[in-house]
Amino acid sequence: MAQNIKGARQFQDVFGEVIPFNATVDPAAFADDESQVVSVTVTGAAVGDFVLVSPGVDMQEGLISATVISANTVEIVIGHVGGDSTDLASSTWYGVVLKKGGAFGNL
């Protein structure tokens, strides 16, 4: 059952800890409908935590997702869905791991 949390502390009640991270990402050139995986060590990350990432470049018809795949390891999947091949420049990507807080115990 979903629970609505209102007020200035709404995210503090939902997430018990925020772990910021960054990584230099330099994927190889992409063909159409191809994906690549980048693994990042994030101390304290655990399976089940939420992950948000922000690329440091224009994604050029690309998609990204990020997941904690094992203790201390975030996997970023970069997919290219455009019609042409593309080569993303090397850049710094920023992210956060959001650890579940007390509000999840009330669901």
Side-chain angles (χ1 to χ4, degrees), residues 19-60:
I19 304 170
F21 66 92
N22 66 60
T24 299
V25 176
D26 188 11
F30 285 90
D32 187 25
D33 295 327
E34 183 180 43
S35 63
Q36 297 178 33
V37 176
V38 176
S39 291
V40 180
T41 299
V42 181
T43 302
V47 172
D49 292 343
F50 295 85
V51 183
L52 300 173
V53 294
S54 178
V57 294
D58 178 356
M59 288 298 295
Q60 303 178 30

Side-chain angles (χ1 to χ4, degrees), residues 5 7 23 34 37-38 45 50 82 89 94 97 99 107:
I5 300 171
E34 183 180 43
V37 176
V38 176
F50 295 85
Y94 296 92
V97 172
K99 301 187 79 57
L107 299 180

